[in-house]
Amino acid sequence: MAAANSAWTANEMAAYFRLRLESIEIVGNGIDPERYLGLRGVSAAEDARRTLGIPPESFVVGYVGRLADVKRVDRLLRAAAVAAQETDIIVLIVGDGPERSRLASCCAHLGIQDRVRFVGFQLDLGPFYSAMDAFCLPSRGEAFGLVVLEAMSAGLPVLGFRDAGGGREVIEASSCGRLVSDVHELAHVLAIQDTERRSHSGREDCLPEACRLDRMASEYRRLYAKVAGCSV
């Protein structure tokens, strides 16, 4: 018996290790949304933007993670360049990796270097989630995407691509998730998100019940009991 954190990962495991798919139990990752309660307030957002030098009226879409080819952060940048024709957009990129210099060059080529903030690797992600209005997972073939759960717990709408692997499953399960097919659709959705956020008075936790820490712990207890041949 094996465990996978998403149906996509289970299929990948079955193919790579030549396992029977029915022998793989799916137990999604979970986090405690209570840890992110303080990130949803207006004052937290204002403080974070002031520290980062981001105007309070700007629409901020963020990305958190490694800057590598598979993460496709350039897709987010290209969508932002299109959306910038309609909205005052800022892209906040938290993380580092081998693609950073190429992405910086991409910003210059697109003419949006003044709209993108590269803040590097950060241990405390809270202020950065607070500064965002939306979160984007542009990756392909993501096993799960734990940062998606963090963004949802911080009350952020989460955008992703339909080929995001396990990340797609999480985004589909959330009331604040939205999947797109290409860069132009993402640009359109970003412009819509800017309009929608102006009519909302605050953020709410939109983490799916299946992605909560207590649910994950319960599922693993059930799985261990099954392997041990005893009841929970």
Side-chain angles (χ1 to χ4, degrees):
M1 181 181 293
N5 58 9
S6 67
W8 181 88
T9 304
N11 278 285
E12 292 290 303
M13 287 172 61
Y16 186 82
F17 294 107
R18 298 181 180 178
L19 302 173
R20 290 181 298 109
L21 191 59
E22 57 269 26
S23 72
I24 303 174
E25 293 271 353
I26 299 173
V27 181
N29 293 337
I31 64 173
D32 179 7
E34 296 299 313
R35 292 180 55 196
Y36 300 86
L37 279 174
L39 306 182
R40 302 178 203 150
V42 174
S43 60
E46 290 176 345
D47 290 345
R49 290 191 179 207
R50 190 178 303 112
T51 300
L52 293 167
I54 297 175
E57 68 277 5
S58 295
F59 172 72
V60 180
V61 58
Y63 165 83
V64 176
R66 192 164 50 95
L67 303 185
D69 180 64
V70 70
K71 300 298 185 178
R72 301 191 307 196
V73 180
D74 59 311
R75 281 194 160 199
L76 172 57
L77 297 177
R78 286 188 279 131
V82 175
Q85 299 172 26
E86 303 179 45
T87 185
D88 179 17
I89 190 170
I90 296 291
V91 183
L92 182 57
I93 298 178
V94 186
D96 215 334
E99 286 280 285
R100 178 164 178 165
S101 60
R102 188 184 74 82
L103 292 171
S105 297
C106 181
C107 291
H109 176 73
L110 293 169
I112 58 169
Q113 61 269 35
D114 294 336
R115 293 186 174 275
V116 181
R117 306 284 195 277
F118 289 94
V119 297
F121 174 79
Q122 301 289 331
L123 287 174
D124 182 9
L125 297 174
F128 302 98
Y129 285 127
S130 290
M132 298 174 193
D133 293 301
F135 183 88
C136 182
L137 181 77
S139 311
R140 68 171 179 270
E142 188 79 40
F144 190 87
L146 195 61
V147 290
V148 169
L149 304 190
E150 294 175 347
M152 289 176 177
S153 295
L156 295 171
V158 176
L159 315 174
F161 287 88
R162 299 187 191 282
D163 60 352
R168 169 179 179 159
E169 298 168 36
V170 183
I171 295 171
E172 282 183 320
S174 173
S175 60
C176 63
R178 180 79 177 264
L179 292 167
V180 300
S181 299
D182 54 40
V183 168
H184 291 290
E185 187 178 0
L186 177 58
H188 176 65
V189 171
L190 288 173
I192 291 175
Q193 289 291 337
D194 182 28
T195 301
E196 290 182 349
R197 60 118 184 186
R198 298 177 190 276
S199 62
H200 292 169
S201 57
R203 301 178 181 179
E204 296 181 358
D205 167 21
C206 52
L207 184 70
E209 285 298 323
C211 298
R212 295 173 188 268
L213 186 61
D214 53 354
R215 175 68 177 270
M216 181 184 74
S218 175
E219 285 296 297
Y220 271 113
R221 281 196 298 270
R222 177 191 61 79
L223 181 57
Y224 291 150
K226 183 177 180 179
V227 172
C230 60
S231 58
V232 178

